[in-house]
């Protein structure tokens, strides 16, 4: 007991310190007539609670309620699922505020107040946690509700829904085995059959009373306790269940996927109920102020007449598109249009909101910045600027940098798509083209993806249990559910190709078939879906480059592609604000040209080793490696020289005078060696030696730990003739460019890899300078060039001041710097990184997103020390991290001059660099 007291004291003290005031911590914020929250308090109130308060504040019709803060959630988990002592008093006071505003009373037998209890974290986690509606109903209050509403069936329908939700969420009534599915649903289905109706809303009050009896029996039987009649007991039970749902399996998986810290916790929103299920002048729905799939400025959403809560998304009845509301409830529709404008004007972003109409009167139940596809993110941001709701800087910050790449995803090849027969068309919910194997289960989709295949997850509808499969699949197809269905929602968030609600598609899990008209497809068959148009095809339709790519390559005119115009607009804005340069990692003229069309301002890394694999080159390369002395080696190098020179000339031409950094030979030599018998024999023949000779030399070159072995500048130091040949090829190519009819004045940047000692660099630089002078002399041209180094081992970073005395530039090779800095092999880390992520030891893969606290320090130290002895030194980075927005933000802060990334990431890097500068 004393121990418990101590923790309580500590927690209260901690809270008090935060607010410095001596008063007790405020755990509950009201919204309604009395509103003390607002949208700035997201961390404390969660997104839903903060925005409910904000909507109430700006005069939108929000049923009154209150939010229990996320601090209570933290307290709850820190203190063995107990609440702060002052919470009960605050809760009672806040319930009283609602009671006063509405003239109702919780648990009273006259005018009973009914409540909803809802979750709401800082970031929305749709459908991941629990909601309870119609709380406060019991055997007595239900009678009052029936009388006061004059609608008995309605009252008992609310009651049975409440018992079902409460039984499920709070009392833990669950399916005991697979055939059981939800026992309440089963009872409901059985009753519908018994009385011969199709829909729940056709059940009479008497039917519902019978159902309630059966529900209570289910609870009794399964939990050994009775469904509670006391309203406050119900309320505490529900609040606790919502806090507990923060740690349910679905929520945990979701948080892992989206990097939401468990420490944030959820808030709990308690709100007076309004009823969309009271009759034909009532409805419930969800809407977006713009189309979340393509960003078009149209009112988008759906609703159901005479329905409550999740009915719209549950897919039992098919909801109507919002446009239809104009006919069915013109007043409510007009109110909604007004709300739509007001919301966008106030929140300055596309909103996704939930509403209920009770007796023709509109109530707002939730609003949030709507999740959207990458395409929609770009379009909405650009159009909001045009509409003068936001400025360019805000627009740039609103577009997740990664989403730019969804404008570059493949579409179906127009010719191939024309030829293919459209089997059916569903709702286009996630733009792009996906072709893959039909998978009916998440497990199957995961299997197909794991074995390198492409999966299209085909479900009647998806639920959060399918999340893993949706992550694994290339595309998602559902036969049921509209724009607010789970599938559509997840597709928007994950930028997945998705067609939903394709009602002609009949999926039979039992038979393992997907039928559209006469076409019967089986699991494992190919299917293709167009998430931009909603079209579905049997077989695998060939894909083509995106419109942006087509315009950039001259196959399409800019004026014919709105997508391209959007892309171009965002890139122009980004270039205006960014400070970081963006280069690309490219080894071939095609890659280079592609990257330049995406806006690359140079090559930050050309890996020469990639040039040694084609055709005859590998043979000469092998001859070089296996040479028994310098003479033999030089002979082989001589044969390689023309190839290298030609490659560099092509690259320099493609870059048209933009800087090109060429890295000298880097990888361990064994990577080039023949390992199987037949290629050993081939090589032996070409060299005119015995196979055994080859085998012995291969064996001699074997290293226990090649990543840390004879590689990088260590090769050039052992065999200066390799460096000599490469430098000669680079400089002769440069000279050739100067001599073109239209000279290209390239300034090649020669980069020495894996330097850890200043003297290593000095050794190599001497060779390079000598060769440069020879080439200039021989070719009678003068050209400029730079010599620099990769900083990719910790010692290089730590002694960067010494190295910078010789180097004209540094390029941080963050792939190797991460390997060597963490002592973690990039190729082997897969086996434990998953566990590390799960345990929060390393939430991000350090090879994808820079480990700022550790490896990042090496970059900072390297940059600072380098600049100390060489003020003007040029600093760049060329690891995978060069295309990762979070890492780019870090490199901006360190003050590097440029990042270099793979060609398709160049637009992402441009945008991320602008965002880093604007943050
Ligand atoms: P989620 O976070 O999963 O969207 P919500 O907390 O929004 O869950 O609740 C789900 C649904 O319950 C809402 O969409 C709404 O239709 C219904 N609901 C919640 N609160 C109320 C209320 N006060 N009155 C009527 N319906 C409500
Ligand atoms: Mg909601
Ligand atoms: Mg390296």
């Amino acid at each position: 007991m004393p121990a418990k007291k101590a923790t309580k004291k500590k927690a209260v003290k901690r809270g008090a310190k935060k607010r410095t005031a001596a008063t007790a911590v405020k755990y509950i914020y009201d919204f309604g007539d009395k509103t003390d929250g607002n949208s700035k308090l997201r961390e404390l109130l969660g997104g839903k609670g903060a925005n409910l308060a904000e909507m109430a504040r700006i005069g939108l019709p929000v049923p009154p309620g209150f939010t229990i803060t996320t601090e209570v959630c933290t307290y709850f988990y820190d203190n063995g699922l107990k609440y702060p002592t002052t919470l009960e008093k605050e809760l009672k006071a806040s319930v009283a505020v609602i009671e006063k505003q509405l003239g109702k009373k919780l648990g009273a037998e006259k005018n009973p107040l009914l409540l909803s209890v809802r979750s709401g974290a800082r970031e929305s986690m749709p459908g991941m946690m629990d909601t309870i509606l119609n709380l406060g109903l019991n055997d007595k209050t239900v009678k009052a509700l029936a009388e006061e509403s004059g609608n008995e069936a309605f009252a008992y329908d609310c009651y049975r829904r409440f018992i079902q939700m409460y039984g499920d969420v709070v009392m833990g009534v669950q399916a005991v085995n697979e055939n059981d599915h939800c026992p309440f649903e089963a009872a409901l289905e059985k009753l519908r059959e018994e009385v011969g109706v199709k829909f729940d809303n056709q059940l009479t009050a008497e039917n519902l009373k019978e159902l309630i009896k059966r529900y209570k029996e289910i609870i009794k039987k399964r939990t050994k306790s009775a469904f509670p009649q006391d309203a406050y007991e119900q309320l505490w039970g529900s609040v606790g269940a919502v806090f507990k749902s923060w740690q349910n399996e679905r929520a945990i998986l979701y948080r892992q996927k989206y990097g939401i810290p468990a420490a944030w916790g959820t808030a709990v929103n308690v709100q007076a109920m309004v009823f969309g299920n009271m009759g034909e002048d009532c409805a419930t729905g969800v809407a977006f102020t713009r189309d979340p799939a393509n960003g078009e400025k149209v009112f988008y959403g759906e609703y159901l007449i005479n329905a409550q809560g999740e009915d719209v998304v549950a897919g039992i009845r098919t909801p109507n598109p919002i446009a239809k509301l104009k006919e069915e409830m013109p007043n409510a529709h007009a109110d909604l249009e007004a709300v739509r404008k007001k919301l966008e004007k106030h929140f300055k972003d596309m909103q996704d909101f939930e509403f209920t109409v009770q007796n023709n009167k509109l109530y707002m139940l939730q609003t949030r910045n709507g999740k959207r596809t990458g395409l929609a993110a770009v379009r909405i941001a650009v159009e909001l600027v045009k509409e003068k709701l936001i400025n360019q800087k805000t627009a740039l910050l609103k577009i997740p940098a990664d989403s730019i790449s969804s404008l570059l995803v493949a579409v179906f090849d127009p010719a191939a798509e024309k030829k293919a027969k459209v089997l059916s068309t569903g709702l286009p919910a996630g733009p792009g083209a996906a072709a893959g194997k039909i998978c009916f289960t998440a497990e199957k989709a995961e299997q197909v993806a794991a074995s390198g295949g492409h999966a299209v997850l085909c479900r009647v509808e998806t639920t959060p249990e399918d999340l893993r499969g949706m992550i694994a699949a290339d595309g998602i197809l559902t036969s049921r559910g509209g724009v607010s269905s789970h599938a559509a929602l997840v597709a928007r968030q994950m930028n997945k190709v998705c067609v939903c609600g394709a009602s002609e598609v009949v999926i039979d899990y039992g038979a393992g078939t997907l039928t559209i008209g006469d076409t019967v497809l089986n699991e494992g068959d190919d299917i293709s879906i167009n998430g931009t148009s909603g079209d579905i095809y049997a077989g695998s339709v060939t894909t083509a480059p995106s419109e942006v790519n087509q315009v950039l390559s001259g196959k399409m005119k800019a004026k014919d592609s709105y997508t391209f115009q959007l892309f171009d607009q965002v890139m122009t804005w980004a270039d205006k604000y960014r400070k970081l340069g963006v280069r690309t990692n490219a080894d071939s003229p095609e890659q280079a040209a592609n990257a330049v069309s995406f806006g690359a301002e140079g090559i930050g890394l050309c890996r020469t080793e990639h040039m040694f694999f084609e055709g005859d080159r590998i043979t000469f390369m092998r001859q070089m490696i296996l040479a028994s002395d310098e003479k033999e080696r030089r002979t082989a190098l001589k044969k390689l020289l023309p190839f290298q020179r030609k490659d560099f000339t092509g690259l320099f031409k493609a870059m048209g005078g933009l800087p090109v950094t060429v890295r000298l030979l880097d990888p361990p030599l064994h990577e080039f060696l023949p390992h199987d018998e037949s290629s050993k024999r081939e090589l032996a023949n070409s060299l005119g030696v015995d196979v055994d000779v080859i085998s012995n030399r291969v064996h001699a070159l074997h290293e226990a730990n090649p990543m840390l072995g004879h590689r990088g500048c260590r090769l050039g130091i052992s065999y200066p003739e390799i460096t000599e040949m490469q430098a000669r090829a680079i400089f002769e190519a440069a000279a050739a460019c100067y001599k073109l009819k239209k000279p290209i004045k390239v300034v090649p940047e020669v980069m020495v890899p894996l330097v850890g000692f200043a003297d290593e660099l000095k050794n190599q630089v001497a060779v390079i300078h000598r060769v440069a002078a020879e080439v200039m002399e021989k070719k009678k041209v003068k050209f400029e060039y730079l010599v620099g180094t990769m900083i990719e081992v910790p010692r290089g970073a730590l002694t960067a001041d010494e190295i910078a005395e010789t180097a004209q530039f540094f390029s941080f090779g963050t792939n190797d710097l991460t390997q060597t800095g963490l002592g973690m092999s990039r190729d082997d880390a897969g086996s434990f990184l998953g566990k590390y992520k799960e345990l929060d030891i390393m939430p991000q893969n350090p090879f994808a997103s820079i480990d700022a606290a550790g490896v990042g320090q090496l970059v900072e130290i390297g940059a600072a020390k380098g600049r100390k002895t060489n003020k003007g030194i040029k600093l760049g980075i060329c690891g995978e991290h060069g295309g990762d927005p979070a890492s780019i933000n870090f490199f901006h802060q360190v003050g590097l001059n440029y990042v270099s990334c793979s060609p398709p990431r160049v637009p992402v890097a441009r945008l991320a660099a602008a965002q880093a500068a604007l943050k």
Side-chain angles (χ1 to χ4, degrees), residues 252-260 467 471 494 837:
I252 292 171
L253 178 67
Y254 186 94
R255 284 201 295 271
Q256 271 171 10
K257 163 105 180 105
Y258 293 102
I260 298 175
L467 207 55
I471 294 169
M494 303 204 292
K837 185 174 176 179

Side-chain angles (χ1 to χ4, degrees), residues 393-526:
K393 294 182 186 176
T394 312
L396 286 171
L397 289 170
K398 267 191 193 305
I399 306 169
D402 270 322
S403 59
I404 259 295
S405 53
S406 63
L407 274 63
L408 307 173
V409 297
V411 295
F412 284 127
D413 173 54
E417 193 172 15
K418 223 181 225 152
K419 257 188 254 155
K421 196 175 141 239
V422 178
L423 288 180
S424 184
T425 304
L427 296 170
K437 302 214 169 314
I438 294 177
C439 298
F440 290 127
T441 61
E443 294 75 52
K444 182 80 189 173
E446 279 189 300
Q447 267 170 32
V448 169
S451 60
H454 297 276
V456 175
L457 181 67
C458 302
R459 304 275 308 162
V460 174
E461 59 196 327
T462 61
T463 68
E465 269 87 54
D466 298 319
L467 207 55
R468 288 168 190 280
M470 300 172 89
I471 294 169
D474 284 27
I476 302 160
L477 170 65
T478 67
S479 58
R480 211 192 277 163
V483 296
S484 52
S485 66
H486 181 258
L489 196 129
V490 174
R492 277 197 285 280
Q493 191 155 349
M494 303 204 292
N495 273 322
K496 283 272 161 172
V497 176
C498 176
V499 173
C500 67
S503 51
E504 288 168 7
V505 174
V506 180
I507 296 173
D508 185 336
Y509 298 128
T513 56
L514 184 155
T515 313
I516 307 173
D518 307 331
T519 310
V520 182
L521 300 171
N522 296 301
E523 185 155 54
D525 288 351
D526 280 324

Side-chain angles (χ1 to χ4, degrees), residues 13 135 217 239 241 250 294 366 387 394 431 441 451 489 495 517 523 542 633 656 690 831 871 889 903:
K13 226 165 81 196
L135 185 146
E217 279 160 14
V239 168
R250 270 183 288 152
N294 65 20
Q366 184 176 338
E387 294 164 30
T394 312
T441 61
S451 60
L489 196 129
N495 273 322
E523 185 155 54
T542 330
R633 200 156 32 244
D690 203 74
S831 49
K871 236 177 106 204
N889 187 46

Side-chain angles (χ1 to χ4, degrees), residues 663 666 711 754 790 792 813 816:
R663 177 178 69 186
D666 177 53
R711 55 170 292 216
L754 216 72
M790 302 268 286
E792 53 185 337
D816 269 323

Side-chain angles (χ1 to χ4, degrees), residues 48 63-64 114-120 124-134 165 269-276 284-286 307-313 354-356 363-366 368:
K48 197 182 288 168
L114 301 193
L115 297 172
S116 77
V117 178
R118 327 161 59 182
S119 62
S124 84
M125 298 169 48
M128 295 299 137
M129 290 178 289
D130 295 321
T131 300
I132 289 152
L133 303 179
N134 309 323
M165 281 187 256
N269 299 293
V270 178
Q271 185 180 32
M273 284 298 299
V274 285
F275 300 100
T284 183
V286 296
Q308 184 174 63
E310 309 286 61
D311 291 0
V312 182
V313 283
E354 299 176 0
F355 64 91
T356 281
Y363 292 95
M364 296 295 292
L365 295 180
Q366 184 176 338
R368 60 186 171 213

Side-chain angles (χ1 to χ4, degrees), residues 139 142 152-165 182-195 197 199-220 227:
D139 296 347
V142 70
E152 205 184 9
F154 152 73
Y156 283 91
D157 184 51
C158 288
Y159 194 23
R160 75 93 191 154
R161 284 171 188 262
F162 175 45
I163 299 173
Q164 178 167 347
M165 281 187 256
C182 170
F184 294 116
E185 281 300 325
L188 178 58
E189 231 165 76
K190 184 155 170 280
L191 187 84
R192 276 200 311 254
E193 261 167 44
E194 283 173 21
V195 300
V197 300
F199 294 113
D200 299 346
N201 58 359
Q202 295 165 313
L203 294 171
T204 64
E206 290 317 308
N207 298 154
L208 291 161
K209 283 179 196 167
E210 171 60 27
L211 185 62
I212 287 164
K213 211 178 99 209
R214 294 183 193 177
Y215 274 7
K216 284 183 183 162
E217 279 160 14
I218 293 174
I219 290 182
K220 193 83 205 233
F227 170 77

